[in-house]
Amino acid sequence: MSPEKNSASFTDQGIPTHQELVIPALQAVASLGGSAESGEIVDYVIEHYPNSESLLEITYPKRPSVAVLPERVAWARSMAKLIGALEQPTRGHVSDYETGRRSTSITRRKGIRESPRPGSRLLPSTTTKEAQ
């Protein structure tokens, strides 16, 4: 890659912004059955995104072994979680909102409640008034 092109912004070089990759990330989760591992989403988007082979050649100047596109897809997945389009029931695994809601309702029917702390494990239901 020429030095002039490498000094241009990633967007000027054709890399989509993470905001532009939110929809492809959501489409990936939907195509993968409503839930997927983080790496599967990145792989799916890269496989189906136009001109991704040449976009994968664009790397960070200070980290020439790291392609920008996969990291932008990961940021898009994070953005989708922030806006509520995806849920992350476990580390490294995301599901679309509806799939997440169905699994939560199944979990509640089986007598398990969610802990009030974000990111903590599910706890067995209790019958005390405090838990109700």
Side-chain angles (χ1 to χ4, degrees):
M1 184 172 298
S2 69
E4 302 84 41
K5 188 167 186 174
N6 201 18
S7 65
S9 75
F10 294 130
T11 305
D12 290 342
Q13 293 179 57
I15 296 283
T17 65
H18 66 280
Q19 293 97 337
E20 294 169 331
L21 290 167
V22 169
I23 297 298
L26 294 174
Q27 291 169 336
V29 173
S31 295
L32 294 166
S35 67
E37 298 293 321
S38 299
E40 292 175 316
I41 297 167
V42 172
D43 292 343
Y44 186 93
V45 171
I46 289 172
E47 183 179 323
H48 292 87
Y49 201 82
N51 200 26
S52 63
E53 288 180 18
S54 65
L55 295 176
L56 286 171
E57 294 175 10
I58 301 171
T59 61
Y60 292 101
K62 294 186 178 183
R63 296 185 296 158
S65 64
V66 179
V68 176
L69 183 60
E71 291 197 354
R72 290 269 176 108
V73 175
W75 277 106
R77 185 190 69 244
S78 293
M79 178 65 69
K81 290 186 304 187
L82 285 172
I83 64 173
L86 292 177
E87 295 180 318
Q88 187 170 0
T90 60
R91 183 177 177 167
H93 190 87
V94 296
S95 60
D96 64 27
Y97 185 77
E98 285 302 313
T99 301
R101 288 289 138 221
R102 284 193 302 271
S103 66
T104 300
S105 68
I106 289 169
T107 301
R108 287 188 179 138
R109 281 189 298 221
K110 290 186 176 187
I112 297 174
R113 68 172 172 83
E114 292 180 36
S115 171
R117 289 182 316 174
S120 61
R121 296 174 173 245
L122 296 176
L123 302 173
S125 291
T126 60
T127 56
T128 64
K129 286 187 175 184
E130 296 170 358
Q132 297 174 356

